[in-house]
DNA sequence: AACCTATCGATATATTTTTATCGATATAAA
DNA sequence: TTTATATCGATAAAAATATATCGATAGGTT
């Protein structure tokens, strides 16, 4: 395998889009695909697609495009999908439950094997077959089970605390859904999902749009 | 008010972080804040913070920094928080329910007033006080009620269909949680929340890290 | 009052990311 | 076989974003 240097962040964020599209096309029996087709489908530029794929170490053939199977597998490989990693989730509220229920994450390498909460009434119960344990145990269990990924769906006021416990246990990566800025050591991987941030971008753009269209309010 | 041109996307995505931090500091009684402090707290560069704030039209004073109240209000204003917009949600599954339950979105200008689903058994029920209606009605109701924001939490195989209905009704902005690439007219605002993409970034980085640390697996 | 210093904000530079250009090549058609 | 063309991939240019530099100024200190 050719050595690939770390992918630029924007490229990294486009790769899952490619994979999704390609899996879909593959299911429909397509065996070759050109950068132009991918670009078209995703509303991107074909040059950019080619660049991304090239950065990812994929090679195509002139006049033919890329081999579908090779491409899907190559990209999935890069993202390390298919290499299932066990994870713990902390915070069995609404959002936590939604995530536990979303089995699709298995396809992306995430296998949540236990959930933790501080609410007595929840402990011992099972959600989608996953047992809820007292939060005090999380550090020890991370250590014992060599868990690498922690998912934080706790309320904001407890998120830092939970992160600290995970770090204490020796976690390697945190997928954080709490709307706070976690302070964690540099060498720990942190991915934030801040729904409110995404929503902000939307409301900002909507406000802009309303401003420019305001001379004529559509009725 | 000074005229502000459209903010760069990266700046736009940092503004909510500023707001969160600032609201927290304000609660603790802080009345002035410097770009350096903000940068420190969020792990950013003070120059970048100053640049962002300047783009947002905020002005500070040498030796003092920025007035906390002015700053928070100014930024919130830009994102149009506090100006509540009514929205419809389509897809009352796990994730939809989690979002309906997360009342905090009100703080960010989103007020979900009705949910829609195609599951007979759900229709007529209420989740967190929000009624679930048959999906067939969504286009008409968007039209009648002048709804501007649609939230899609439907399963991927129905997402495009749902988007089409929303567009038919005259929606202005779509907040999409379904893991598909929606094809919509250019003038409609689209914000995607692709949890799997965020997860991909995490697993990629984790794989990188494991690769580099592999010579000595920590035990 | 004169000086010192934290901090801003303007301008300049560097880096990253996107987009453009174009020669090379695999396949199909003439 | 020769020619035509779709498509790649390398290189170059442009645009966007982040970082650095530095003079100006508010407010405290001597």
């Amino acid at each position: 395998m050719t050595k690939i240097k770390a992918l630029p962040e924007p490229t990294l964020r486009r790769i899952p889009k490619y994979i999704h599209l390609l899996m879909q096309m593959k299911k429909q029996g397509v065996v070759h695909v050109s950068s132009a087709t991918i670009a078209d489908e995703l509303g991107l530029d074909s040059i950019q697609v080619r660049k991304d794929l090239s950065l990812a170490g994929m090679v195509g053939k002139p006049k033919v495009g890329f081999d579908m199977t090779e491409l899907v597998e190559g990209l999935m490989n890069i993202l390390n999908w298919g290499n299932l990693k066990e994870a713990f989730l902390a915070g069995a509220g609404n959002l936590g439950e939604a995530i536990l229920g979303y089995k699709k994450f298995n396809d992306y390498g995430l296998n949540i094997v236990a959930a933790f909460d501080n609410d007595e009434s929840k402990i011992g119960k099972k959600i989608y077959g996953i047992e809820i344990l007292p939060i005090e145990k999380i550090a020890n269990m991370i250590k014992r089970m060599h868990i690498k990924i922690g998912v934080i769906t706790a309320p904001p006021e407890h998120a830092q605390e939970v992160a600290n416990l995970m770090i204490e246990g020796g976690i390697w990566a945190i997928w954080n859904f709490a709307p706070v800025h976690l302070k964690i050591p540099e060498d720990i991987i942190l991915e934030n999902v801040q729904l409110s941030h995404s929503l902000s971008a939307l409301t900002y753009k909507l406000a802009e749009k309303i401003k420019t269209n305001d001379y004529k309010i559509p009725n």
Side-chain angles (χ1 to χ4, degrees), chain A residues 8 10 24 46-47 56 66-67 96 105 109 119 121 139 145 148 156 158 187 189 191 198 209 216:
Chain A
Q24 202 178 310
S46 73
I47 298 162
F66 296 81
D67 178 87
F105 289 139
D119 181 346
S121 70
M145 295 174 66
K148 298 280 183 283
H158 290 130
D187 61 322
I189 297 157
E191 259 301 305
S198 154
K209 182 169 175 173
K216 193 185 173 186

Side-chain angles (χ1 to χ4, degrees), chain A residues 25 32 35 37 45-46 57 63 68 78 87 98 101 103 121 135 142 151-152 164 166 168 200 207 216:
Chain A
M25 292 175 77
H32 290 290
S35 57
T37 307
D45 187 300
S46 73
K63 187 79 195 244
M68 184 64 80
I78 281 184
K103 294 297 179 200
S121 70
I135 188 72
I142 287 170
V151 184
I152 300 183
N164 293 345
M166 287 177 169
E168 187 193 324
S200 287
K216 193 185 173 186

Side-chain angles (χ1 to χ4, degrees), chain A residues 163-177:
Chain A
N164 293 345
L165 290 175
M166 287 177 169
I167 292 164
E168 187 193 324
I171 208 84
W172 286 34
I174 292 177
W175 198 22
N176 174 46
F177 286 77

